[in-house]
């Protein structure tokens, strides 16, 4: 089913006799749903408002992300939260949509400085599980109200409503960007370097560490962006800060962009055979957690992002990599269907939080027709 308007979508959901599997571009399918029929949002397309001077953009949920990025680039602007492209990691086809980005709260390496997708949301329109059209927030920054519901829809994976339109804050493209790179650090040493960098006054917009980098050697990378003079000054100060390490600097814009795509899209785990987990933890706990996982499981590859707050781990197929008593979240991103049938995709919630979640879902989707089973 592929509605071409919000009214048509509302009518479909209101008259639903069976549950729906909500699908945008089909590029971020990480979970299983028991829904027998597919509801696509790809017919709801188009940028409906773009005011570069006000740093705001409004688009229908099915609008391809590439179309939005092209419109922003033409005005020297961008989505600051740097959404990743899951296609290489998951082996999916299709075209990513802005609705899918918001529904999954997709946030890339710049989250460590700029914030997540939900932090740039100004407003939403969506159809809930009863077929009612709901509008929350505003279309421009000065008219934003009702942030709570706007943020609630970001990362709800289509279980509370089907997004039809999103309003976003955008930011200018930086004049230049550069990377500080340090080779050969242990994971504990890399964590210390990243922590010092992001807590410094030098506005780090990316901090990542790969124990097996592009040259299959440990590589720690720090990104800075902004006006050329400021970037040059901060590069010098970072060189001084880490003078006890062999620091390299990359200033070529294309190579810097390619390096951070490599981090953002987890290219080191693309086309490989293992399961992939995404762990969100306290950065200082990351090296110890990974060491413990290595001691107990067959770990293939590891990538630290968000200064250690986000860990990508590839392991042997069928492995339950979710530590007991984890202080954080572990999400199963890539696995065979038989593994997904036995392991929950998302971090199980404590009983009190689970009860609250079920109450919210019952309010927005009392018939249980929107992606049932996806986040169970």
């Amino acid at each position: 089913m592929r509605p071409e308007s919000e009214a048509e979508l509302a009518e479909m959901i209101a008259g639903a006799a069976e549950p729906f599997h909500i699908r945008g571009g089909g590029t971020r399918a990480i979970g299983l749903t028991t829904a027998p029929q597919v509801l696509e949002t790809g017919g709801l397309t188009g940028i409906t408002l773009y005011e570069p001077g006000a740093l705001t953009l409004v688009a229908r949920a099915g609008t391809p992300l590439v179309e939005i990025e092209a419109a922003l680039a033409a005005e020297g602007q961008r989505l600051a939260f740097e959404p990743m492209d899951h296609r290489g990691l998951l082996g999916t086809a299709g075209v990513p949509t802005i609705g899918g980005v918001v529904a999954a709260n997709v946030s890339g390496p710049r989250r460590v400085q700029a914030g997540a997708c939900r932090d740039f949301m100004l407003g939403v329109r969506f159809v809930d599980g009863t077929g009612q059209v709901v509008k929350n927030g505003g279309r421009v920054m000065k008219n934003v109200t009702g942030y709570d519901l706007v943020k609630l829809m970001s990362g709800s994976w289509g279980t509370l409503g089907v997004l039809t339109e999103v309003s976003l804050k955008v930011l200018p493209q930086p004049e230049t960007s550069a990377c500080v790179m340090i080779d050969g650090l242990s994971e504990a040493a890399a964590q210390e370097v990243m922590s010092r960098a992001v807590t410094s006054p030098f506005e780090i917009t990316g901090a990542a560490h790969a124990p097996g980098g592009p040259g299959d050697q440990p590589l720690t990378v720090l990104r800075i962006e902004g006006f050329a003079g400021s970037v040059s000054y901060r590069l010098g100060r970072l060189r001084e800060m880490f003078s006890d390490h062999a620091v390299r600097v990359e200033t070529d814009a294309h190579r810097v962009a390619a390096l951070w795509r490599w981090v953002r899209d987890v290219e080191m785990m693309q086309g490989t055979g293992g399961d992939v987990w995404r762990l969100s933890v306290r950065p200082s706990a990351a090296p110890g957690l990974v060491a413990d996982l290595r001691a107990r499981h067959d770990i293939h590859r590891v990538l630290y992002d968000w200064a250690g707050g986000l860990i990508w781990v590839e392991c042997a197929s069928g492995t339950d990599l979710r530590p007991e008593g984890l202080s954080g979240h572990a999400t199963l991103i890539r696995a065979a269907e038989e593994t997904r049938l036995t392991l929950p995709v998302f971090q199980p919630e404590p009983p009190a939080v689970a009860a609250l979640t079920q109450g919210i879902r019952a309010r927005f989707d009392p018939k249980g027709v929107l992606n049932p089973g996806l986040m169970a």
Side-chain angles (χ1 to χ4, degrees), residues 85-219:
D85 186 341
H86 283 79
R87 287 176 291 185
L89 187 64
L90 298 179
T92 52
V95 177
T97 64
I98 191 62
V101 169
V102 172
N105 190 36
V106 181
S107 312
R110 203 173 287 111
R111 186 190 188 282
V112 74
Q113 184 260 350
C117 171
R118 63 165 52 94
D119 298 312
F120 289 83
M121 294 294 298
L122 301 175
V124 291
R125 290 179 66 96
F126 64 94
V127 178
D128 70 11
T130 68
Q132 179 180 359
V133 176
V134 180
K135 176 185 177 182
N136 188 244
R139 292 167 65 92
V140 294
M141 292 172 64
K142 63 183 179 181
N143 290 329
V144 176
T145 58
Y147 266 107
D148 290 346
L149 189 52
V150 170
K151 291 181 181 290
L152 187 65
M153 293 300 295
S154 303
S156 63
W157 289 88
T159 59
L160 302 179
V162 182
L163 290 167
T164 59
E165 186 179 81
V166 298
S167 307
L168 295 159
K169 174 186 175 182
V170 300
L171 290 180
Q173 287 275 8
E175 182 177 279
T176 189
S177 60
C179 279
V180 168
M181 301 183 289
I182 304 175
D183 297 302
L185 294 180
S186 69
E187 290 163 62
Q191 173 56 46
E192 182 181 354
V193 164
M194 292 189 292
S195 177
R196 288 178 61 195
V198 298
T199 55
S200 76
F202 305 128
E203 297 183 43
I204 304 299
T205 66
H209 174 73
D216 210 26
Q217 297 296 319
L219 176 65

Side-chain angles (χ1 to χ4, degrees), residues 82 109 179 206-208 221-223 256-264:
E82 200 174 5
C179 279
V221 288
L222 309 171
R223 180 176 58 188
V256 170
L259 176 59
W260 285 96
R261 278 196 304 273
W262 186 85
V263 174
R264 185 197 72 182

